[in-house]
């Protein structure tokens, strides 16, 4: 066994871990001693073309740079088992995700701050950290003209190049863009040119991190020159000192294979929503009953570790287009122009409330859920329309890429279904047990149904929608979705085809597992900094939030808070 020591050890070289390491290395006084060590289980993915290219997204999710984790059979989704992919690479899930960039609404962060009793998590207090991560550019990666900037809400010299579709290069102009916009406006949904300024609801521009079809890896975008990084380093446990009495003090980590690293100041766990609670439990922090089952001595009893898992459930729809020349067809001029696949083939994301939020009230079983679901300006649903078919796994339809099909995704954002993550064994190389518990509540089922009905009403009931969409292509044996389709028929579609949108949160929640500065309850010198600390279901693709969390906590650590 070998050993060496650092001031800070960060477990996980993903979005949160690398952002934290980079910012902390700049905030700390320069020192001759080794200060920050990042331990990453995977390796550097930057030489893999499928990682770097937007067209390789699906390959990335199934590659050696991903953990492909089994999800328990779900009784609320017809007992279907599933799989989720998370990053196993330097850059973490930033190496395999879809690179969407959405913050969510102001009201979500203000609710978070109220829930945990700390205004530091309010939208206005987090805004400087959101701006630090952003460098808003056009589709060619060039700066936005100063006259078009909104420096109150956005950053223009931050870590990552952020590309709104409206600022994209003229050559990537999808033929259906204006038609889609008119259909939503005809349905009474206002166009919102900037959904990332705290006011999210409306038909918002897609904002992404793809720049000319290339992924921005955190490991390349961040300055890590003062950080030591070790890949192929799987952590087996965090070690503690109990000699002083009182709360145990985190002293370092043991790796699989026996190597030990000491931490003079803090161990920071940034292993992600599924693996951070696993590492805590393997280290003796968790439900004592679970720990005893696997003969792990209890260091800090806390039954909340691994609980409170939330994610967004999505259902796909396939449309038949009236004018195939406006879709993306193999062999067509559009398909052969690489600019059309330089990111996701879409222009807009609809974020919005329910048309009749009062209908939720009789379905709500819990007072906390009532406050959460009935907030003014909440984003209950998300609807995305792509100019290409999504495939049978997501829609039940194996539609040809011949220009005659498009697809939509309808998403329940304000989920109240909560799942869990726990350990399979005392071996850190065994994957965790994941129970998403999707679709478990009446309110979730109602929101999913209404999101599907909303999508079909816009495209099949408006004059504009009818001008370019012929009909919904339904899986064999399933009813088309309309306002008149019964709840039971729509529920069957959700149970059979609902899937994770890969936005997990909450398994080490602030207020339950960590305090409002992300310090683990009952232990000293130990924090969790990643999406697992998010205590409420945010109505967004959570990548931007995870960057902001890491930026926020880095400042606290540097200030000794």
């Amino acid at each position: 066994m070998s050993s060496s020591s650092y001031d800070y050890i960060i477990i996980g070289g993903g979005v949160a871990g690398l952002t934290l390491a980079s910012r902390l290395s700049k905030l700390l006084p320069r020192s001759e001693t080794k200060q920050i060590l990042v331990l990453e289980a995977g390796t550097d993915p930057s030489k893999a073309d499928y990682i770097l290219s937007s067209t390789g997204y699906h390959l990335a999710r199934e590659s050696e740079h991903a953990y492909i984790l089994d999800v328990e059979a779900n009784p609320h989704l017809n007992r279907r088992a599933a799989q989720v992919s998370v990053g196993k690479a330097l850059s973490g899930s930033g190496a395999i995700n879809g690179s969407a960039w959405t913050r969510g609404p102001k009201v979500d962060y203000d609710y978070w701050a109220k829930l945990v009793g700390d205004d530091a998590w309010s939208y206005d207090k987090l805004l400087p950290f959101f701006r630090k991560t952003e460098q808003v550019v056009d589709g060619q990666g060039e700066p936005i003209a100063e006259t078009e900037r909104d420096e109150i809400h956005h950053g223009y010299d931050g870590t990552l190049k952020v590309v709104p579709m409206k600022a994209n290069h003229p050559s990537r102009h999808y033929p259906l863009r204006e038609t889609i916009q008119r259909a939503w406006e005809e349905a009474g949904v206002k166009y919102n040119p900037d959904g990332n300024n705290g006011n999210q609801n409306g038909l918002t521009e897609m904002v992404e991190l793809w720049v000319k079809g290339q992924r921005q890896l955190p490991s390349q975008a961040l300055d890590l020159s003062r950080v030591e990084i070790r890949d192929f380093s799987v952590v087996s446990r965090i070690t503690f000192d109990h000699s002083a009495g009182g709360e145990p003090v985190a002293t370092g980590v043991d790796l699989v294979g026996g190597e030990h690293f000491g931490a003079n100041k803090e161990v920071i766990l940034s292993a992600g929503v599924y693996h951070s609670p696993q590492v805590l439990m393997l280290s003796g922090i968790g439900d004592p009953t679970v720990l005893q089952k696997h003969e792990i001595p209890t260091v800090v009893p806390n039954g909340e570790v691994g609980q409170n898992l939330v994610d967004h459930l999505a259902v796909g729809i396939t449309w038949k287009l009236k004018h195939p020349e406006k879709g993306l067809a193999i062999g067509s001029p559009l398909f052969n122009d690489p600019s059309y696949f330089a990111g996701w083939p879409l222009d807009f994301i609809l974020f919005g409330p329910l048309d009749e939020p009062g209908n939720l009230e009789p379905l709500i079983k819990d007072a906390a859920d009532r406050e959460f679901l009935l907030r003014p300006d909440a984003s209950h649903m998300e609807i995305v329309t792509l100019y290409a078919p999504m495939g049978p796994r997501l829609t039940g339809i194996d539609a040809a890429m011949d220009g005659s099909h498009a697809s939509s995704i309808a998403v329940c954002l304000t989920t109240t279904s909560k799942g869990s993550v726990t350990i399979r064994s005392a071996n850190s190389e065994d994957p965790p047990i994941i129970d998403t518990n999707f679709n478990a509540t009446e309110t979730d089922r109602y929101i999913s149904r209404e999101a599907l009905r909303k999508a079909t009403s816009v495209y099949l009931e408006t004059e504009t929608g009818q001008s370019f969409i012929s009909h919904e292509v339904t899986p064999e044996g399933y009813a088309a979705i309309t306002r008149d389709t019964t709840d039971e028929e729509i529920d069957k579609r959700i149970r059979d085809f609902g899937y994770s949108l890969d936005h997990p949160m909450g398994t080490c929640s602030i207020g339950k597992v960590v305090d409002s500065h992300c310090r683990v309850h009952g232990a000293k010198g130990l924090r969790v900094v990643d999406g697992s600390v998010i205590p409420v279901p945010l109505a967004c693709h959570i990548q931007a939030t995870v960057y902001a969390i890491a930026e926020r906590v880095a400042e606290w650590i540097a200030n000794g808070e």
Side-chain angles (χ1 to χ4, degrees), residues 327-358:
L328 292 174
I330 294 174
S332 71
L334 284 184
F335 193 91
N336 291 333
D337 183 342
S339 69
Y340 284 95
F341 292 91
W344 284 96
L346 60 95
D347 284 298
F348 305 110
I349 302 179
L350 176 281
F351 291 107
L354 293 163
D355 288 342
E356 300 290 341

Side-chain angles (χ1 to χ4, degrees), residues 169-191:
H169 193 272
S171 68
R172 188 180 167 196
H173 186 277
Y174 297 103
L176 288 173
R177 176 183 167 90
E178 287 75 20
T179 309
I180 294 279
Q181 185 174 344
R182 284 198 306 273
W184 282 96
E185 290 176 342
E186 187 181 336
V189 176
K190 292 183 179 180
Y191 169 67

Side-chain angles (χ1 to χ4, degrees), residues 175-176 318-335 341 386-389 399-407 468-469:
L176 288 173
T318 302
W319 309 109
K320 184 67 178 292
L321 299 178
K322 291 182 175 178
H323 307 288
E325 69 276 7
K326 293 187 176 182
L328 292 174
I330 294 174
S332 71
L334 284 184
F335 193 91
F341 292 91
L386 298 91
Y387 307 126
M401 184 78 81
D402 59 3
S404 63
H405 297 93
S407 53
F468 75 100
I469 287 182

Side-chain angles (χ1 to χ4, degrees), residues 63-342:
S63 73
E64 63 179 322
H65 298 299
Y67 288 103
I68 302 172
L69 302 173
D70 291 329
V71 176
E72 296 294 287
N74 187 335
H76 313 294
L77 295 178
N78 272 353
R79 299 211 60 82
R80 285 188 292 127
Q83 291 182 322
V84 292
S85 293
V86 293
K88 183 185 179 182
L90 194 60
S91 293
S93 290
I96 67 166
N97 65 19
S99 290
W101 191 257
T102 68
R103 290 181 186 171
K106 180 180 189 296
V107 295
D108 280 9
Y109 296 93
D110 293 348
Y111 181 81
W112 171 351
K114 179 182 176 182
L115 183 70
V116 304
D118 190 340
D119 191 53
W121 295 109
S122 69
Y123 182 81
D124 289 342
K125 292 295 178 64
L126 271 179
L127 184 54
F129 302 99
F130 279 119
R131 287 199 301 260
K132 278 186 178 183
T133 67
E134 286 188 342
Q135 182 186 154
V136 182
V137 297
D138 68 17
Q140 296 300 294
E142 298 300 321
I144 298 288
E146 291 189 14
T147 56
E148 298 178 14
R149 295 183 179 186
D150 175 2
E151 302 206 20
I152 294 174
H153 296 103
H154 294 290
Y156 296 89
D157 58 1
T159 306
L160 297 158
K161 291 186 175 182
V162 175
V163 184
M165 282 302 296
K166 67 177 180 178
N168 224 309
H169 193 272
S171 68
R172 188 180 167 196
H173 186 277
Y174 297 103
L176 288 173
R177 176 183 167 90
E178 287 75 20
T179 309
I180 294 279
Q181 185 174 344
R182 284 198 306 273
W184 282 96
E185 290 176 342
E186 187 181 336
V189 176
K190 292 183 179 180
Y191 169 67
N192 180 356
D194 183 5
N196 282 342
N197 64 5
N199 176 27
Q200 175 173 268
N201 285 342
L203 188 69
T204 70
E205 294 282 344
M206 172 66 172
V207 183
E208 58 190 9
L209 297 184
W210 302 111
V211 178
K212 295 192 288 187
Q214 292 295 295
R215 182 187 297 278
Q216 298 174 78
L217 289 172
S219 58
Q220 295 180 327
L222 295 160
D223 179 5
L224 298 166
S225 59
R226 295 181 59 202
V227 177
E228 185 169 337
I229 297 172
R230 289 196 31 147
D231 59 7
F232 290 117
S233 297
V234 179
V235 171
S236 60
R237 68 184 62 82
I238 299 163
T239 59
F240 295 92
D241 179 8
H242 303 264
S243 62
E247 293 182 342
V249 179
T251 58
V253 300
D254 289 340
L255 300 186
V256 170
E259 198 168 3
H260 176 79
F261 294 97
N264 302 321
K265 294 185 178 179
E266 288 194 22
V267 174
I268 303 162
L269 186 50
S270 298
V273 175
Y274 302 125
H275 290 106
S276 283
Q278 180 188 26
V279 173
L280 285 180
M281 285 183 262
L282 292 172
S283 306
I285 299 177
D287 183 338
T289 303
V290 174
L291 302 181
Q292 289 166 12
K293 175 183 175 182
H294 299 291
E295 299 181 345
I296 298 171
T298 299
V299 175
V300 177
N302 188 335
E304 295 290 345
V305 175
Q307 301 302 305
N308 202 45
L309 172 64
V310 294
D311 195 353
H312 296 147
L313 183 69
V315 182
I317 306 173
T318 302
W319 309 109
K320 184 67 178 292
L321 299 178
K322 291 182 175 178
H323 307 288
E325 69 276 7
K326 293 187 176 182
L328 292 174
I330 294 174
S332 71
L334 284 184
F335 193 91
N336 291 333
D337 183 342
S339 69
Y340 284 95
F341 292 91

Side-chain angles (χ1 to χ4, degrees), residues 363-375:
L363 306 177
I364 300 172
K365 308 298 184 185
D366 180 89
D369 288 348
R370 177 172 287 104
E371 181 183 4
F372 171 66
L373 288 168
L374 300 181
R375 291 167 299 145

Side-chain angles (χ1 to χ4, degrees), residues 248-559:
V249 179
T251 58
V253 300
D254 289 340
L255 300 186
V256 170
E259 198 168 3
H260 176 79
F261 294 97
N264 302 321
K265 294 185 178 179
E266 288 194 22
V267 174
I268 303 162
L269 186 50
S270 298
V273 175
Y274 302 125
H275 290 106
S276 283
Q278 180 188 26
V279 173
L280 285 180
M281 285 183 262
L282 292 172
S283 306
I285 299 177
D287 183 338
T289 303
V290 174
L291 302 181
Q292 289 166 12
K293 175 183 175 182
H294 299 291
E295 299 181 345
I296 298 171
T298 299
V299 175
V300 177
N302 188 335
E304 295 290 345
V305 175
Q307 301 302 305
N308 202 45
L309 172 64
V310 294
D311 195 353
H312 296 147
L313 183 69
V315 182
I317 306 173
T318 302
W319 309 109
K320 184 67 178 292
L321 299 178
K322 291 182 175 178
H323 307 288
E325 69 276 7
K326 293 187 176 182
L328 292 174
I330 294 174
S332 71
L334 284 184
F335 193 91
N336 291 333
D337 183 342
S339 69
Y340 284 95
F341 292 91
W344 284 96
L346 60 95
D347 284 298
F348 305 110
I349 302 179
L350 176 281
F351 291 107
L354 293 163
D355 288 342
E356 300 290 341
N359 290 344
L360 278 177
E361 186 122 27
L363 306 177
I364 300 172
K365 308 298 184 185
D366 180 89
D369 288 348
R370 177 172 287 104
E371 181 183 4
F372 171 66
L373 288 168
L374 300 181
R375 291 167 299 145
D377 300 320
S379 298
H380 293 108
M381 67 176 71
E382 171 183 350
I383 300 171
V384 179
T385 299
L386 298 91
Y387 307 126
M390 293 178 58
R393 184 177 74 85
L394 307 180
T395 65
I397 301 295
D398 189 12
M401 184 78 81
D402 59 3
S404 63
H405 297 93
S407 53
S408 292
I409 308 168
V411 188
C412 171
L413 294 177
T414 49
T415 179
T416 56
S417 299
K418 294 183 179 180
S420 64
V421 174
T422 191
I423 52 175
R424 193 174 304 274
S425 75
N427 183 350
S428 62
E429 294 184 289
D430 283 344
I433 298 173
I434 301 168
D435 178 9
T436 57
N437 198 36
F438 278 131
N439 206 37
T441 64
E442 288 290 345
T443 55
D444 281 16
R445 292 191 281 272
Y446 178 81
I447 293 168
S448 291
R449 288 195 298 266
E450 290 304 295
L452 288 164
R453 285 184 170 125
K454 184 74 171 181
T456 55
S457 70
V458 170
Y459 293 130
L460 298 180
E461 295 179 13
T462 65
E463 184 177 340
T464 305
Q466 292 171 358
S467 73
F468 75 100
I469 287 182
S470 168
H471 59 275
E472 180 197 351
V473 184
T474 59
E476 186 175 352
Y478 292 81
I481 297 171
T482 69
R483 289 190 183 275
D484 298 325
T485 307
T486 67
D487 289 353
E488 291 74 18
E489 288 172 309
I490 298 177
D491 283 345
K492 177 175 170 56
R493 287 276 288 274
I494 296 167
R495 289 195 304 268
D496 286 349
F497 298 107
Y499 64 96
S500 167
L501 209 57
D502 295 325
H503 301 157
M505 300 165 261
T507 52
C508 298
S509 286
I510 293 174
K512 295 183 177 182
V513 176
V514 300
D515 68 12
S516 68
H517 281 40
C518 297
R519 296 171 294 213
V520 173
H521 288 312
K524 294 180 178 178
L526 178 61
R527 297 190 205 231
V528 181
V529 182
D530 57 29
S532 70
V533 306
I534 299 172
V536 296
L538 298 178
C540 64
H541 301 230
I542 63 171
Q543 177 174 207
T545 306
V546 174
Y547 275 102
I549 290 170
E551 292 279 5
R552 165 68 281 183
V553 178
E555 191 170 283
W556 277 332
I557 294 172
N559 292 335

